[in-house]
Amino acid sequence: MGNFKIQTVSDRKLYWLWLCSIPGISSGTIGKLLGYFKDVENIFKVTEKELAPVTFLKDTTRKYLLDPIYKDKEKLKTYSEHLAGKGIHFLCTEDPMYPERFRMMPDPPYGFFYTGSFPKTGQPSLAVVGARKATTYGIAGAEYFSGILSRYGVTIVSGLAAGVDGAAHRGAIRQKGYTLAVLGCGVDTCYPRENFTLYMEIKEQGTLISEYAPGTKPAPWRFPMRNRLIAGLADGVFVTEAGEKSGALITADAALDQGKNVYALPGAFNSPQSCGCHQLIQSGAKLVYRPEDILEDFGIVGKVCEKAKDGLDNSEEVVYANLCLYPRSLQEIAMRCGLSVREVSAALTRLELEGKIVQTGSNYYVIRMF
Protein backbone atom coordinates (compact mmCIF):
# COMPACT_ATOMS: atom_id res chain seq x y z
CA MET A 1 0.00 0.00 0.00
CA GLY A 2 2.95 2.29 0.45
CA ASN A 3 3.44 5.21 2.79
CA PHE A 4 1.28 8.21 2.11
CA LYS A 5 1.92 11.59 3.64
CA ILE A 6 -0.69 12.89 6.07
CA GLN A 7 -3.19 15.11 4.32
CA THR A 8 -5.06 18.09 5.72
CA VAL A 9 -8.22 17.50 7.70
CA SER A 10 -10.30 18.72 4.77
CA ASP A 11 -8.70 16.12 2.51
CA ARG A 12 -9.35 13.38 5.04
CA LYS A 13 -12.94 14.51 5.36
CA LEU A 14 -13.29 14.11 1.61
CA TYR A 15 -11.98 10.55 1.94
CA TRP A 16 -14.62 9.81 4.57
CA LEU A 17 -17.32 11.50 2.50
CA TRP A 18 -16.36 9.34 -0.47
CA LEU A 19 -16.29 6.12 1.58
CA CYS A 20 -19.56 6.76 3.42
CA SER A 21 -21.33 7.75 0.18
CA ILE A 22 -20.60 4.46 -1.60
CA PRO A 23 -24.04 2.95 -2.41
CA GLY A 24 -24.90 -0.06 -0.28
CA ILE A 25 -21.81 0.06 1.94
CA SER A 26 -22.46 -0.66 5.62
CA SER A 27 -20.65 0.42 8.75
CA GLY A 28 -19.65 -3.22 9.23
CA THR A 29 -17.96 -3.33 5.82
CA ILE A 30 -16.21 0.00 6.48
CA GLY A 31 -14.97 -1.40 9.79
CA LYS A 32 -13.54 -4.46 8.07
CA LEU A 33 -11.85 -2.31 5.43
CA LEU A 34 -10.26 -0.18 8.14
CA GLY A 35 -9.14 -3.30 9.94
CA TYR A 36 -7.45 -4.50 6.75
CA PHE A 37 -6.03 -1.26 5.34
CA LYS A 38 -5.58 0.57 8.68
CA ASP A 39 -6.55 4.04 7.47
CA VAL A 40 -9.21 5.74 5.35
CA GLU A 41 -6.55 7.31 3.12
CA ASN A 42 -5.18 3.88 2.30
CA ILE A 43 -8.68 2.75 1.33
CA PHE A 44 -9.12 5.83 -0.86
CA LYS A 45 -5.84 5.12 -2.69
CA VAL A 46 -6.17 1.34 -2.88
CA THR A 47 -5.25 -0.36 -6.16
CA GLU A 48 -6.90 -3.33 -7.82
CA LYS A 49 -3.93 -5.50 -6.86
CA GLU A 50 -4.12 -4.47 -3.21
CA LEU A 51 -7.88 -5.07 -3.13
CA ALA A 52 -7.68 -8.50 -4.78
CA PRO A 53 -7.05 -10.50 -1.55
CA VAL A 54 -10.05 -8.90 0.18
CA THR A 55 -12.82 -11.50 -0.01
CA PHE A 56 -15.60 -9.94 2.09
CA LEU A 57 -16.61 -7.30 -0.47
CA LYS A 58 -19.60 -7.37 -2.79
CA ASP A 59 -18.75 -6.95 -6.46
CA THR A 60 -20.59 -3.62 -6.63
CA THR A 61 -18.71 -2.29 -3.60
CA ARG A 62 -15.39 -3.40 -5.08
CA LYS A 63 -16.28 -1.55 -8.29
CA TYR A 64 -16.97 1.71 -6.44
CA LEU A 65 -13.79 1.41 -4.41
CA LEU A 66 -11.70 1.22 -7.59
CA ASP A 67 -13.62 3.56 -9.91
CA PRO A 68 -11.51 6.74 -10.41
CA ILE A 69 -14.62 8.75 -11.30
CA TYR A 70 -15.82 8.46 -7.71
CA LYS A 71 -12.36 9.28 -6.33
CA ASP A 72 -11.86 12.59 -8.10
CA LYS A 73 -11.10 15.01 -5.26
CA GLU A 74 -12.30 18.05 -7.18
CA LYS A 75 -15.62 16.36 -7.82
CA LEU A 76 -15.82 15.39 -4.16
CA LYS A 77 -15.25 19.03 -3.17
CA THR A 78 -17.98 20.10 -5.58
CA TYR A 79 -20.28 17.44 -4.13
CA SER A 80 -19.56 18.65 -0.59
CA GLU A 81 -20.31 22.24 -1.58
CA HIS A 82 -23.48 21.13 -3.33
CA LEU A 83 -24.70 19.42 -0.15
CA ALA A 84 -23.85 22.47 1.97
CA GLY A 85 -25.84 24.62 -0.44
CA LYS A 86 -28.86 22.43 0.27
CA GLY A 87 -28.31 22.71 4.02
CA ILE A 88 -26.96 19.16 4.31
CA HIS A 89 -23.82 18.62 6.37
CA PHE A 90 -21.49 15.64 6.77
CA LEU A 91 -19.63 14.62 9.91
CA CYS A 92 -17.06 11.84 10.09
CA THR A 93 -15.66 10.00 13.08
CA GLU A 94 -12.56 12.23 13.09
CA ASP A 95 -14.59 15.42 13.38
CA PRO A 96 -14.53 17.05 16.85
CA MET A 97 -18.29 17.66 16.54
CA TYR A 98 -18.97 13.93 16.09
CA PRO A 99 -21.42 12.90 18.88
CA GLU A 100 -19.82 11.21 21.87
CA ARG A 101 -22.85 8.93 22.20
CA PHE A 102 -21.97 7.46 18.80
CA ARG A 103 -18.37 6.85 19.89
CA MET A 104 -19.63 4.66 22.73
CA MET A 105 -21.60 2.38 20.39
CA PRO A 106 -20.29 -1.09 19.46
CA ASP A 107 -21.17 -0.48 15.80
CA PRO A 108 -21.01 3.29 15.23
CA PRO A 109 -21.46 5.08 11.91
CA TYR A 110 -18.11 6.22 10.51
CA GLY A 111 -19.86 9.22 9.03
CA PHE A 112 -23.36 10.60 8.81
CA PHE A 113 -25.36 13.35 7.14
CA TYR A 114 -27.63 15.80 8.91
CA THR A 115 -29.82 18.79 8.23
CA GLY A 116 -31.37 21.23 10.65
CA SER A 117 -29.77 22.43 13.86
CA PHE A 118 -26.86 20.38 15.12
CA PRO A 119 -27.77 17.80 17.81
CA LYS A 120 -27.65 19.38 21.23
CA THR A 121 -25.21 18.09 23.81
CA GLY A 122 -25.25 18.13 27.57
CA GLN A 123 -28.90 17.27 28.00
CA PRO A 124 -30.63 13.92 28.51
CA SER A 125 -32.20 12.20 25.54
CA LEU A 126 -34.84 9.52 25.21
CA ALA A 127 -35.79 7.38 22.24
CA VAL A 128 -39.57 7.04 22.00
CA VAL A 129 -40.55 4.25 19.61
CA GLY A 130 -43.39 1.89 18.89
CA ALA A 131 -45.78 0.40 16.39
CA ARG A 132 -46.36 1.90 12.95
CA LYS A 133 -49.96 0.70 13.00
CA ALA A 134 -50.52 2.15 16.44
CA THR A 135 -53.81 2.50 18.24
CA THR A 136 -55.17 5.79 19.52
CA TYR A 137 -53.78 4.77 22.92
CA GLY A 138 -50.23 4.24 21.64
CA ILE A 139 -50.21 7.48 19.63
CA ALA A 140 -51.67 9.56 22.47
CA GLY A 141 -49.25 8.01 24.95
CA ALA A 142 -46.22 8.77 22.76
CA GLU A 143 -47.33 12.34 22.15
CA TYR A 144 -48.16 12.97 25.80
CA PHE A 145 -44.97 11.57 27.32
CA SER A 146 -42.75 13.15 24.65
CA GLY A 147 -44.38 16.53 25.17
CA ILE A 148 -43.99 16.47 28.96
CA LEU A 149 -40.41 15.15 28.85
CA SER A 150 -39.32 17.68 26.22
CA ARG A 151 -40.80 20.42 28.40
CA TYR A 152 -38.29 19.32 31.04
CA GLY A 153 -35.38 19.55 28.59
CA VAL A 154 -35.23 15.94 27.40
CA THR A 155 -34.33 15.47 23.72
CA ILE A 156 -36.83 13.17 22.00
CA VAL A 157 -35.25 10.77 19.50
CA SER A 158 -37.28 8.67 17.07
CA GLY A 159 -37.41 7.47 13.48
CA LEU A 160 -40.12 9.60 11.78
CA ALA A 161 -42.10 6.45 10.95
CA ALA A 162 -45.89 6.36 10.86
CA GLY A 163 -47.67 5.77 14.15
CA VAL A 164 -45.77 6.13 17.41
CA ASP A 165 -42.60 7.69 15.95
CA GLY A 166 -44.47 10.56 14.36
CA ALA A 167 -46.51 11.11 17.53
CA ALA A 168 -43.31 11.31 19.61
CA HIS A 169 -41.85 14.00 17.34
CA ARG A 170 -45.13 15.92 17.30
CA GLY A 171 -45.35 15.88 21.09
CA ALA A 172 -41.91 17.49 21.37
CA ILE A 173 -42.56 20.04 18.64
CA ARG A 174 -45.89 21.14 20.11
CA GLN A 175 -44.16 21.83 23.41
CA LYS A 176 -41.35 23.75 21.65
CA GLY A 177 -38.92 20.99 22.62
CA TYR A 178 -35.97 19.56 20.73
CA THR A 179 -36.40 16.42 18.66
CA LEU A 180 -34.08 14.35 16.51
CA ALA A 181 -35.20 12.00 13.71
CA VAL A 182 -32.96 9.19 12.46
CA LEU A 183 -33.92 8.17 8.93
CA GLY A 184 -33.63 4.92 7.01
CA CYS A 185 -33.05 6.89 3.79
CA GLY A 186 -31.23 10.06 2.77
CA VAL A 187 -31.97 13.21 4.78
CA ASP A 188 -33.32 14.80 1.60
CA THR A 189 -36.07 12.18 1.42
CA CYS A 190 -39.23 12.20 3.54
CA TYR A 191 -40.55 8.73 4.31
CA PRO A 192 -43.40 8.11 4.76
CA ARG A 193 -44.86 10.95 2.70
CA GLU A 194 -47.72 11.36 5.17
CA ASN A 195 -45.18 12.85 7.59
CA PHE A 196 -43.97 15.57 5.21
CA THR A 197 -45.26 18.46 7.33
CA LEU A 198 -43.63 16.88 10.38
CA TYR A 199 -40.41 16.34 8.40
CA MET A 200 -40.27 20.06 7.60
CA GLU A 201 -41.03 21.02 11.21
CA ILE A 202 -38.20 18.82 12.50
CA LYS A 203 -35.88 20.35 9.92
CA GLU A 204 -36.71 23.77 11.37
CA GLN A 205 -36.90 22.88 15.06
CA GLY A 206 -34.63 19.85 15.40
CA THR A 207 -32.33 17.59 13.43
CA LEU A 208 -32.70 14.98 10.68
CA ILE A 209 -29.86 12.43 10.65
CA SER A 210 -28.91 9.52 8.39
CA GLU A 211 -25.82 7.42 7.78
CA TYR A 212 -27.07 7.01 4.20
CA ALA A 213 -26.01 9.49 1.55
CA PRO A 214 -28.55 12.00 0.22
CA GLY A 215 -30.59 10.50 -2.57
CA THR A 216 -30.72 7.08 -0.89
CA LYS A 217 -34.22 5.67 -1.13
CA PRO A 218 -35.88 3.78 1.77
CA ALA A 219 -35.46 0.00 1.78
CA PRO A 220 -36.70 -2.54 4.36
CA TRP A 221 -33.21 -3.66 5.42
CA ARG A 222 -32.11 -0.11 6.21
CA PHE A 223 -34.61 0.41 9.03
CA PRO A 224 -33.26 -2.23 11.46
CA MET A 225 -29.81 -0.69 10.86
CA ARG A 226 -31.03 2.82 11.64
CA ASN A 227 -32.69 1.53 14.84
CA ARG A 228 -29.28 1.03 16.44
CA LEU A 229 -28.55 4.73 15.83
CA ILE A 230 -31.82 5.72 17.49
CA ALA A 231 -30.74 3.75 20.55
CA GLY A 232 -27.19 5.11 20.26
CA LEU A 233 -28.26 8.74 20.39
CA ALA A 234 -30.46 8.21 23.44
CA ASP A 235 -29.81 7.61 27.13
CA GLY A 236 -32.73 5.19 27.21
CA VAL A 237 -35.48 3.74 25.04
CA PHE A 238 -39.19 4.08 25.81
CA VAL A 239 -41.57 1.71 23.95
CA THR A 240 -45.13 3.00 24.15
CA GLU A 241 -46.82 0.32 22.05
CA ALA A 242 -45.41 -2.68 20.22
CA GLY A 243 -46.63 -5.99 18.89
CA GLU A 244 -44.80 -9.25 19.38
CA LYS A 245 -42.57 -8.72 16.33
CA SER A 246 -42.45 -4.93 16.24
CA GLY A 247 -39.33 -3.19 14.93
CA ALA A 248 -39.39 -1.15 18.14
CA LEU A 249 -38.17 -4.25 19.96
CA ILE A 250 -35.02 -4.16 17.79
CA THR A 251 -34.36 -0.66 19.09
CA ALA A 252 -34.94 -1.87 22.65
CA ASP A 253 -32.52 -4.77 22.12
CA ALA A 254 -29.93 -2.34 20.75
CA ALA A 255 -30.34 -0.19 23.87
CA LEU A 256 -29.79 -3.21 26.11
CA ASP A 257 -26.67 -4.16 24.12
CA GLN A 258 -25.42 -0.62 24.72
CA GLY A 259 -26.11 -0.86 28.47
CA LYS A 260 -29.01 1.59 28.47
CA ASN A 261 -32.35 1.58 30.28
CA VAL A 262 -35.48 0.35 28.54
CA TYR A 263 -38.91 1.63 29.53
CA ALA A 264 -42.31 0.29 28.49
CA LEU A 265 -45.87 1.57 28.72
CA PRO A 266 -48.34 -1.16 29.71
CA GLY A 267 -51.56 -1.59 27.79
CA ALA A 268 -54.70 -3.69 28.01
CA PHE A 269 -54.00 -7.32 28.85
CA ASN A 270 -55.66 -8.51 25.64
CA SER A 271 -54.24 -5.87 23.28
CA PRO A 272 -52.02 -7.47 20.61
CA GLN A 273 -50.43 -4.05 20.03
CA SER A 274 -49.14 -4.01 23.63
CA CYS A 275 -47.88 -7.57 23.98
CA GLY A 276 -44.36 -6.49 23.00
CA CYS A 277 -44.37 -3.92 25.83
CA HIS A 278 -45.59 -6.55 28.29
CA GLN A 279 -42.82 -8.92 27.22
CA LEU A 280 -40.27 -6.16 27.77
CA ILE A 281 -41.64 -5.54 31.26
CA GLN A 282 -41.47 -9.26 32.03
CA SER A 283 -37.85 -9.23 30.87
CA GLY A 284 -36.90 -6.38 33.19
CA ALA A 285 -37.87 -3.15 31.39
CA LYS A 286 -39.13 -0.44 33.73
CA LEU A 287 -42.91 -0.14 33.74
CA VAL A 288 -43.85 3.48 33.08
CA TYR A 289 -47.23 5.04 33.76
CA ARG A 290 -46.26 8.68 34.40
CA PRO A 291 -43.50 11.00 33.09
CA GLU A 292 -41.88 11.15 36.53
CA ASP A 293 -40.90 7.49 36.16
CA ILE A 294 -38.42 8.52 33.48
CA LEU A 295 -37.54 12.00 34.75
CA GLU A 296 -36.39 10.50 38.06
CA ASP A 297 -33.86 8.29 36.26
CA PHE A 298 -32.51 11.35 34.47
CA GLY A 299 -32.03 13.13 37.78
CA ILE A 300 -34.75 15.67 37.01
CA VAL A 301 -36.57 16.39 40.24
CA GLY A 302 -40.11 17.64 40.40
CA LYS A 303 -43.64 16.43 39.93
CA VAL A 304 -45.58 16.90 36.73
CA CYS A 305 -48.71 18.77 37.71
CA GLU A 306 -51.72 18.34 35.47
CA LYS A 307 -54.73 20.63 35.79
CA ALA A 308 -56.91 19.24 33.04
CA LYS A 309 -59.97 19.14 35.27
CA ASP A 310 -59.79 22.75 36.39
CA GLY A 311 -62.92 24.74 35.60
CA LEU A 312 -65.19 21.75 34.94
CA ASP A 313 -68.71 21.52 36.33
CA ASN A 314 -69.90 18.38 38.11
CA SER A 315 -71.23 16.50 35.07
CA GLU A 316 -68.17 17.39 32.97
CA GLU A 317 -65.83 16.23 35.73
CA VAL A 318 -67.64 12.92 36.09
CA VAL A 319 -67.57 12.35 32.32
CA TYR A 320 -63.92 13.41 32.02
CA ALA A 321 -62.95 11.08 34.86
CA ASN A 322 -64.41 8.15 32.91
CA LEU A 323 -62.40 8.82 29.74
CA CYS A 324 -58.93 7.54 28.96
CA LEU A 325 -56.54 7.04 26.03
CA TYR A 326 -58.66 4.15 24.73
CA PRO A 327 -61.70 5.29 22.70
CA ARG A 328 -64.96 4.84 24.59
CA SER A 329 -68.42 5.08 23.09
CA LEU A 330 -71.12 7.49 24.22
CA GLN A 331 -73.17 4.57 25.56
CA GLU A 332 -70.25 3.10 27.52
CA ILE A 333 -69.41 6.48 29.06
CA ALA A 334 -73.04 6.97 30.10
CA MET A 335 -73.09 3.52 31.70
CA ARG A 336 -69.84 4.20 33.59
CA CYS A 337 -71.03 7.62 34.80
CA GLY A 338 -74.54 6.64 35.77
CA LEU A 339 -75.87 9.55 33.73
CA SER A 340 -78.33 9.69 30.85
CA VAL A 341 -77.04 9.61 27.28
CA ARG A 342 -78.42 13.12 26.82
CA GLU A 343 -76.51 14.48 29.86
CA VAL A 344 -73.29 12.76 28.78
CA SER A 345 -73.68 13.98 25.18
CA ALA A 346 -74.01 17.57 26.38
CA ALA A 347 -70.99 17.25 28.67
CA LEU A 348 -68.92 15.68 25.88
CA THR A 349 -69.82 18.54 23.55
CA ARG A 350 -68.65 21.09 26.10
CA LEU A 351 -65.45 19.15 26.84
CA GLU A 352 -64.70 18.92 23.13
CA LEU A 353 -65.25 22.66 22.64
CA GLU A 354 -62.91 23.31 25.58
CA GLY A 355 -60.24 21.19 23.88
CA LYS A 356 -60.05 18.62 26.68
CA ILE A 357 -61.23 15.60 24.67
CA VAL A 358 -61.17 14.39 21.06
CA GLN A 359 -63.78 12.49 19.08
CA THR A 360 -61.97 9.67 17.28
CA GLY A 361 -64.96 8.23 15.46
CA SER A 362 -68.73 8.31 15.45
CA ASN A 363 -69.54 8.93 19.14
CA TYR A 364 -66.18 7.57 20.40
CA TYR A 365 -64.02 9.80 22.62
CA VAL A 366 -60.57 9.98 24.22
CA ILE A 367 -58.91 12.56 26.45
CA ARG A 368 -56.65 15.13 24.77
CA MET A 369 -53.20 15.19 26.29
CA PHE A 370 -52.32 18.76 25.26
Side-chain angles (χ1 to χ4, degrees):
M1 288 179 283
N3 296 317
F4 302 110
K5 66 179 180 179
I6 298 176
Q7 303 293 325
T8 64
V9 174
S10 60
D11 279 343
R12 291 186 64 80
K13 192 164 184 176
L14 288 178
Y15 300 152
W16 285 111
L17 176 61
W18 161 79
L19 184 59
C20 294
S21 298
I22 292 176
I25 199 165
S26 67
S27 60
T29 298
I30 293 175
K32 288 180 181 179
L33 285 169
L34 288 170
Y36 193 93
F37 292 107
K38 309 304 180 186
D39 187 80
V40 67
E41 183 178 2
N42 294 339
I43 300 173
F44 184 81
K45 296 183 177 179
V46 72
T47 65
E48 185 174 2
K49 181 179 179 181
E50 291 165 345
L51 200 59
V54 180
T55 58
F56 56 79
L57 293 174
K58 297 178 181 177
D59 290 341
T60 52
T61 304
R62 187 182 299 271
K63 172 188 172 184
Y64 282 113
L65 287 170
L66 294 172
D67 196 328
I69 294 176
Y70 292 95
K71 296 199 282 188
D72 185 312
K73 284 168 61 172
E74 290 305 314
K75 289 183 179 180
L76 285 170
K77 288 179 182 177
T78 301
Y79 175 54
S80 179
E81 292 168 358
H82 170 72
L83 293 180
K86 295 175 65 177
I88 299 172
H89 309 282
F90 173 76
L91 285 181
C92 66
T93 186
E94 295 180 3
D95 197 302
M97 294 178 68
Y98 184 89
E100 285 302 315
R101 286 187 176 97
F102 274 165
R103 296 190 193 281
M104 294 184 286
M105 288 176 56
D107 183 19
Y110 290 92
F112 66 89
F113 301 83
Y114 77 93
T115 186
S117 59
F118 189 74
K120 294 183 179 181
T121 58
Q123 67 183 64
S125 61
L126 181 74
V128 181
V129 296
R132 283 180 169 82
K133 296 181 179 179
T135 66
T136 303
Y137 172 77
I139 290 173
E143 187 170 330
Y144 169 67
F145 278 89
S146 297
I148 294 293
L149 292 166
S150 66
R151 193 187 300 169
Y152 280 79
V154 177
T155 293
I156 301 300
V157 184
S158 201
L160 196 64
V164 165
D165 286 22
H169 292 304
R170 278 191 296 272
I173 286 172
R174 288 176 179 175
Q175 293 300 304
K176 308 301 181 185
Y178 181 79
T179 187
L180 195 155
V182 186
L183 309 184
C185 53
V187 293
D188 58 342
T189 300
C190 174
Y191 181 82
R193 294 297 298 175
E194 67 193 68
N195 279 342
F196 181 75
T197 299
L198 184 58
Y199 168 90
M200 296 302 294
E201 290 175 332
I202 296 172
K203 193 173 180 179
E204 290 296 319
Q205 193 170 317
T207 310
L208 299 161
I209 279 183
S210 178
E211 65 181 318
Y212 305 113
T216 302
K217 301 302 179 185
W221 64 269
R222 291 195 172 99
F223 293 98
M225 291 298 295
R226 73 89 196 262
N227 288 350
R228 83 190 197 287
L229 301 189
I230 294 175
L233 284 168
D235 297 314
V237 171
F238 179 33
V239 184
T240 64
E241 190 172 60
E244 191 173 6
K245 297 181 180 180
S246 172
L249 302 183
I250 298 174
T251 309
D253 287 342
L256 291 173
D257 290 342
Q258 296 171 25
K260 298 178 179 180
N261 288 342
V262 173
Y263 306 91
L265 182 69
F269 75 92
N270 61 347
S271 170
Q273 291 93 338
S274 288
C275 65
C277 291
H278 298 157
Q279 289 170 358
L280 286 173
I281 293 168
Q282 282 186 325
S283 300
K286 184 174 180 177
L287 185 153
V288 168
Y289 70 94
R290 55 179 192 157
E292 293 95 324
D293 297 330
I294 297 172
L295 291 172
E296 289 166 359
D297 285 358
F298 287 162
I300 300 174
V301 181
K303 185 175 182 180
V304 178
C305 297
E306 298 181 67
K307 298 182 179 180
K309 295 183 182 180
D310 286 2
L312 303 183
D313 64 23
N314 289 339
S315 62
E316 289 175 2
E317 187 167 343
V318 170
V319 170
Y320 187 86
N322 282 278
L323 291 170
C324 64
L325 294 178
Y326 286 111
R328 285 178 175 164
S329 68
L330 173 62
Q331 290 73 17
E332 181 184 355
I333 299 166
M335 182 182 68
R336 285 173 173 272
C337 296
L339 300 172
S340 69
V341 170
R342 183 176 179 178
E343 289 175 305
V344 170
S345 180
L348 288 170
T349 298
R350 293 194 297 272
L351 287 169
E352 192 171 8
L353 288 172
E354 292 164 5
K356 290 183 168 61
I357 66 171
V358 178
Q359 187 172 181
T360 62
S362 179
N363 290 324
Y364 278 81
Y365 300 85
V366 296
I367 58 174
R368 181 191 289 276
M369 302 316 303
F370 297 109

